[in-house]
Amino acid sequence: MEKSKSDFLAKQINKILNFYKSGDFQSIVSISIKLLKKYPDFSPLYNFLGISYRQLGNLKLAEKLLLEGYSKDPRNPGILTNLGAIYRIKGNKEDSLKYFKESYKINPNDIALLVNYANALSDFNKVQESISLLEKAKQIDNNNQTVLINLASFYQNLGRFEDARNLLIEIIQKFPGLTIPHKMLSDITRYKINDKHHLQMLKY
């Protein structure tokens, strides 16, 4: 790719990423479609379109574009991850897991992939593997709210209440305005109180 073309596309990608941060998916669609007419083999555009159409509720078109991108660049981890996400939403758990596995082989340290892959594994009751992926994600980024909340939830569901409690306290300290960890911590406390009452009742 010649330098002028590369520089132009880099600027366009930055523009698209800014739209993504602001949640303006319609603008991403508009700019990506225009660019795709000129650069039909530039695979990131298919990924941007797939993400945007998914956010806009058009799963059919999102899947179609991601598969087109996959046919052009089967080792693009973003396309693989987003195909996995699409198929999980559609209830196709086997294909979802397949694409997450492929993406993991290529880019094993991507936070979004690790969270999605962990949740997909839980569909097959592979909870310990899910926790291992989320603990890895936490080591990479210890301030990612999605990672921390998901990990605390998995701890809680597996009955590792002390681990869940400690992590939730850590989350609350880092993000005091976040309501979800407060509710989760309250649920754990209530469960432990009820469990204690049940044990006391068994003594009589």
Side-chain angles (χ1 to χ4, degrees), residues 162-181:
E162 200 58 35
D163 288 332
R165 180 180 176 277
N166 290 338
L167 182 53
L168 288 167
I169 290 171
E170 179 185 334
I171 297 168
I172 289 168
Q173 289 172 344
K174 288 181 177 179
F175 311 103
L178 205 60
T179 58
I180 295 173

Side-chain angles (χ1 to χ4, degrees), residues 109-180:
N109 294 322
D110 181 74
I111 296 293
L113 166 64
L114 290 169
V115 173
N116 278 287
Y117 193 10
N119 282 291
L121 283 168
S122 73
D123 293 336
F124 295 88
N125 297 315
K126 297 182 177 181
V127 180
Q128 192 52 57
E129 290 182 46
S130 299
I131 287 175
S132 295
L133 289 173
L134 289 168
E135 287 177 338
K136 177 180 180 178
K138 184 177 184 291
Q139 288 178 347
I140 296 169
D141 185 356
N142 195 31
N143 291 305
N144 187 297
Q145 292 181 15
T146 302
V147 170
L148 298 176
I149 292 292
N150 271 269
L151 182 55
S153 179
F154 272 101
Y155 283 154
Q156 185 174 346
N157 292 337
L158 200 61
R160 291 172 57 176
F161 296 118
E162 200 58 35
D163 288 332
R165 180 180 176 277
N166 290 338
L167 182 53
L168 288 167
I169 290 171
E170 179 185 334
I171 297 168
I172 289 168
Q173 289 172 344
K174 288 181 177 179
F175 311 103
L178 205 60
T179 58
I180 295 173

Side-chain angles (χ1 to χ4, degrees), residues 22-40:
S22 65
D24 189 353
F25 297 104
Q26 197 58 62
S27 291
I28 295 175
V29 168
S30 298
I31 191 171
S32 296
I33 286 175
K34 289 177 184 175
L35 289 168
L36 204 57
K37 290 176 181 176
K38 191 172 182 181
Y39 307 104

